[in-house]
Amino acid sequence: MAPAVLIENLHKRYGSREALRDVSFQVEAGEIFGLLGPNGAGKTTTLRCLCTLSAPDSGRVEIAGVSVLEQPKVARQLLGYVAQEVALDKVLTGRELLQLQAALYHLPRPLIAERIHTGLQRLGLESWADQKTGTYSGGLRKRLDLAAGLLHDPSVLVLDEPTVGLDIESRRVIWDFLRQLRDRGTTVLLTSHYLEEIDALADRVAIIDQGTVIAEGTPSQLKDRVGGDRITLKLREFTNAEEAEQAKAMAISLPFVQEVIINSAQGNSLNLIVTPQSDALFELQKALKEAGLPIFGIAQARPSLDDVYLSATGKTLLDADIAASSQRDLKAEQKQRMRSRT
Amino acid sequence: MTTTSVSPQSTPNRLEKTVIQPTPPSLFSPEFVQETLALTRRLFIQLQRRPATLVAGIVQPLMWLVLFGALFKNVPEGMFGMSQTYGQFLCAGVIVFTAFSGALNAGLPVMFDREFGFLNRLLVAPLASRFSIVLASALFITALSLLQTIAIVAVSFFLGAGLPSALGLGVVALIVLLLVLGVTALSLGLTFALPGHIELLAVIFVTNLPLLFASTALVPLSFMPAWLQVVASLNPLSFAIEPIRYLYLHSDWSFSSVVMQAPWGNLSLGTTLLLLAGLDLLALVGIQKLLQRKLA
């Protein structure tokens, strides 16, 4: 069976900027697939190519075996798209927006009222249905947008940064809903630059950086591939540099320690990468005691997705995000969003 | 027929699947009608909930009639051709100018949809044809213009401008329709050709009043210097104004009646209608390529 989404060797250039340089990944039917990367990595551009809003310069894009470039109208029937910025007509009520959406997807008239009712119910929007969307909170707007994207029961639901800017409660509601959706058989493809979101939701993930996929797999596969456990050690709440250096020299001499970094931004705490073994923490504590060094706090953890990103790109996702946002040309991005099929 | 893929773990409480159409519907299919009606309905709901546009659109031409009518009230009789009063002369100009302004602004809501991302909602949907977006705007603006025309005709009647014959009124409506169609097409074309609403507003601003003053809306051709007569007699607004004015004054009109004496020749009612239809055709063909590129 053809994969739910197939993206192969996708290239897209905006003027002199290469937004996508060779993006490839596959989403299997019935899974939640996460596209993780910092702002400006090419996540939205990839989704725009998938949803027929932009035409790629080259590459293959298929939904359930249907070529998006050759049969865009068929592809659009298979897709539900929830954009990052919710565009609701604020004078319409939620129900009216869904009625419009139903007509745009040519749902048979007898089916429309029932579909809208079910959609409102599943997203807990019944009591808001006849209010104008201009009165909705951010979380409600997102939920209505989700209901709209799902109205025609697409086989693939595509979400661009579904919880950006939402409060924790709304975020949890949307996560739960997406899991339910997956369990009912809908394929979900979402982008995020929240590690936590991808880790909590995605069955499989592709990490995208500067227009290309740098890693793909299940979150635990990716973490295993990075190898080693992480130990964070604080000698004191705020350790002086001298003592930290002393501890570093001692720790690096231990056979199971691979790397030690002093994190001056965190009160000279020590970040250690160790070979995964159950007694690493115990051995380290023993060695510290013998060297007469104090312990304020110590914790061992498996590598996180951020470590995966770090090992592939040499920078943390947060750093990349900050760097990207200082370089972004917001005006150009706005233009790009308005552009249809260029 | 294929249905959307269902994975093995799907449960029976899943919604019944929508049938996917391998050969999607095209122009003028029932699906096209469905989406066009829904998009038009949205515009009417907007109008109903935010009636400011409608109120201003009715009040403004009436103010034109009253204020402009008063301005030239004391001009000696006979200066405005066969019109008894300036009010009677002005009426045709106001009808056409109002319809023209409304149609010129038709692109603005679509431009805002573009800027706010609402248009993307339409573009990711499997529309039978994206021409439905254009058609919905045209239907809406046409309905609005006809409403305005009715209001102007009614108020003019009470101000003493008289009424065309019943059939004449039909031709007035036809002229308004032809003008609105062409100008709406141009405005929507601009909406997709220009980068944003600032530029669109600038174009509207620069076109609107000059076209009014370079037409026969406010004064007859005979008032104008020779060069302006040439400009005004080539202005499409004049092709709409002059026949309406003629219909107001003559109950015994025919399509061969001469309605306009341009410096370069006489134009009959039929000719002006053909010119307007030609303008529509030109506008539609002109924007078709653009819309196909932007909306294909």
Side-chain angles (χ1 to χ4, degrees):
Chain A
M1 202 172 84
V5 175
L6 172 75
I7 292 194
E8 216 171 76
N9 307 117
L10 208 58
H11 288 262
K12 176 78 184 172
R13 177 183 278 283
Y14 288 112
S16 63
R17 201 174 69 85
E18 218 175 354
L20 301 180
R21 44 190 127 194
D22 201 17
V23 171
S24 303
F25 62 88
Q26 279 189 26
V27 181
E28 300 304 329
E31 71 178 355
I32 298 182
F33 191 92
L35 209 50
L36 174 71
N39 283 320
K43 304 186 298 284
T44 300
T45 307
T46 305
L47 292 197
R48 285 180 62 90
C49 290
L50 176 63
C51 297
T52 73
L53 286 171
S54 293
D57 297 338
S58 64
R60 242 172 98 194
V61 186
E62 284 178 9
I63 298 168
V66 175
S67 165
V68 167
L69 295 167
E70 281 157 32
Q71 295 181 280
K73 283 187 191 174
V74 180
R76 287 182 200 129
Q77 297 178 57
L78 296 166
L79 267 181
Y81 176 55
V82 179
Q84 179 173 354
E85 275 163 43
V86 188
L88 305 172
D89 185 332
K90 64 182 177 187
V91 257
L92 296 186
T93 66
R95 193 185 306 280
E96 284 162 348
L97 182 93
L98 294 180
Q99 284 165 347
L100 173 64
Q101 187 91 8
L104 297 180
Y105 284 84
H106 310 130
L107 295 190
R109 266 162 237 256
L111 200 63
I112 290 177
E114 180 207 315
R115 275 289 175 89
I116 290 177
H117 177 75
T118 316
L120 290 168
Q121 204 173 33
R122 284 170 76 189
L123 282 142
L125 286 165
E126 295 117 308
S127 55
W128 299 91
D130 297 307
Q131 308 277 329
K132 289 181 202 163
T133 63
T135 65
Y136 285 18
S137 67
L140 278 177
R141 287 160 60 81
K142 202 61 173 187
R143 269 147 70 189
L144 180 64
D145 206 15
L146 256 173
L150 286 168
L151 203 60
H152 62 293
D153 200 17
S155 55
V156 180
L157 181 68
V158 177
L159 306 109
D160 196 2
E161 301 274 2
T163 65
V164 87
L166 292 189
D167 57 279
I168 293 172
E169 175 59 17
S170 300
R171 186 187 277 197
R172 199 190 52 76
V173 168
I174 286 174
W175 286 2
D176 284 346
F177 182 77
L178 292 179
R179 286 195 196 99
Q180 284 173 26
L181 204 63
R182 184 253 331 261
D183 294 342
R184 290 176 187 216
T186 303
T187 310
V188 178
L189 167 60
L190 63 98
T191 70
S192 184
H193 66 288
Y194 293 136
L195 293 159
E196 183 198 359
E197 181 157 272
I198 295 291
D199 218 3
L201 268 184
D203 299 312
R204 284 192 318 122
V205 56
I207 300 181
I208 183 169
D209 186 60
Q210 295 181 9
T212 188
V213 173
I214 52 176
E216 190 186 341
T218 68
S220 59
Q221 274 172 353
L222 291 180
K223 293 172 194 169
D224 288 345
R225 222 174 288 162
V226 181
D229 279 7
R230 268 65 184 159
I231 290 180
T232 310
L233 167 67
K234 279 188 165 186
L235 297 176
R236 304 174 193 279
E237 189 175 7
F238 302 101
T239 315
N240 64 50
E242 199 183 318
E243 209 167 26
E245 286 295 344
Q246 193 188 338
K248 180 180 173 178
M250 186 280 296
I252 202 79
S253 67
L254 297 171
F256 56 88
V257 174
Q258 293 167 348
E259 204 183 328
V260 182
I261 300 162
I262 297 175
N263 188 345
S264 55
Q266 296 284 330
N268 287 327
S269 65
L270 276 72
N271 296 339
L272 293 79
I273 299 175
V274 301
T275 49
Q277 59 182 75
S278 52
D279 61 349
L281 212 52
F282 174 74
E283 290 293 330
L284 182 64
Q285 277 173 306
K286 208 170 79 182
L288 285 166
K289 208 174 208 171
E290 281 165 11
L293 288 164
I295 299 176
F296 176 76
I298 188 165
Q300 182 171 10
R302 308 288 335 277
S304 67
L305 279 177
D306 203 19
D307 296 317
V308 176
Y309 184 78
L310 179 67
S311 79
T313 65
K315 56 187 191 273
T316 70
L317 196 62
L318 186 65
D319 289 340
D321 236 12
I322 293 167
S325 60
S326 66
Q327 285 170 8
R328 316 187 81 166
D329 182 351
L330 289 174
K331 240 187 183 156
E333 280 174 38
Q334 163 85 10
K335 258 188 178 163
Q336 182 185 325
R337 270 203 300 278
M338 280 173 64
R339 208 172 298 171
S340 35
R341 263 193 109 69
T342 48
Chain B
M1 283 272 166
T2 51
T3 51
T4 56
S5 57
V6 182
S7 77
Q9 69 262 44
S10 69
T11 51
N13 64 352
R14 184 156 166 73
L15 292 167
E16 68 184 276
K17 303 301 298 185
T18 314
V19 176
I20 299 299
Q21 293 164 309
T23 42
S26 57
L27 206 54
F28 304 119
S29 56
E31 285 82 1
F32 179 77
V33 175
Q34 186 185 19
E35 70 203 28
T36 306
L37 288 181
L39 289 169
T40 313
R41 177 171 176 253
R42 171 181 172 228
L43 295 172
F44 277 105
I45 293 176
Q46 284 179 337
L47 185 70
Q48 185 201 340
R49 308 235 164 107
R50 279 192 302 208
T53 337
L54 180 63
V55 173
I58 302 258
V59 169
Q60 198 218 27
L62 302 186
M63 281 164 61
W64 275 94
L65 278 179
V66 173
L67 293 178
F68 242 88
L71 202 58
F72 288 95
K73 198 169 179 59
N74 295 332
V75 173
E77 238 176 72
M79 291 284 277
F80 293 101
M82 285 190 58
S83 303
Q84 299 290 309
T85 62
Y86 185 66
Q88 194 179 35
F89 179 86
L90 185 63
C91 167
V94 173
I95 291 175
V96 169
F97 180 62
T98 305
F100 171 71
S101 305
L104 197 59
N105 282 300
L108 261 185
V110 181
M111 180 60 96
F112 284 120
D113 277 354
R114 238 185 104 196
E115 291 184 8
F116 287 123
F118 197 89
L119 189 69
N120 283 347
R121 183 181 295 284
L122 312 184
L123 297 185
V124 296
L127 298 181
S129 163
R130 288 173 173 178
F131 183 62
S132 55
I133 300 171
V134 176
L135 186 59
S137 286
L139 284 174
F140 175 70
I141 294 294
T142 305
L144 208 59
S145 295
L146 288 179
L147 262 178
Q148 289 172 312
T149 305
I150 290 170
I152 298 167
V153 168
V155 170
S156 298
F157 174 74
F158 286 113
L159 292 176
L163 270 181
S165 63
L167 204 59
L169 279 174
V171 179
V172 171
L174 177 68
I175 291 169
V176 168
L177 258 170
L178 285 174
L179 183 73
V180 166
L181 184 64
V183 178
T184 302
L186 284 176
S187 176
L188 288 166
L190 284 173
T191 299
F192 290 101
L194 296 175
H197 74 274
I198 302 284
E199 289 79 2
L200 183 60
L201 283 171
V203 172
I204 291 174
F205 194 67
V206 162
T207 342
N208 211 0
L209 286 182
L211 269 173
L212 170 71
F213 290 126
S215 78
T216 58
L218 304 176
V219 294
L221 277 179
S222 58
F223 264 43
M224 303 177 187
W227 67 269
L228 190 57
Q229 283 191 20
V230 175
V231 176
S233 63
L234 292 172
N235 183 342
L237 290 190
S238 303
F239 301 153
I241 295 164
E242 289 302 309
I244 293 180
R245 189 166 285 153
Y246 188 89
L247 290 165
Y248 256 95
L249 295 174
H250 305 81
S251 50
D252 57 338
W253 56 272
S254 78
F255 285 109
S256 56
S257 313
V258 172
V259 294
M260 186 172 169
Q261 286 164 323
W264 41 275
N266 289 345
L267 293 178
S268 69
L269 178 58
T271 313
T272 52
L273 287 177
L274 283 178
L275 280 170
L276 288 174
L279 178 82
D280 291 357
L281 203 67
L282 213 68
L284 286 171
V285 171
I287 67 155
Q288 201 200 11
K289 272 232 158 66
L290 178 81
L291 290 182
Q292 243 164 23
R293 193 156 55 81
K294 299 281 182 173
L295 286 178

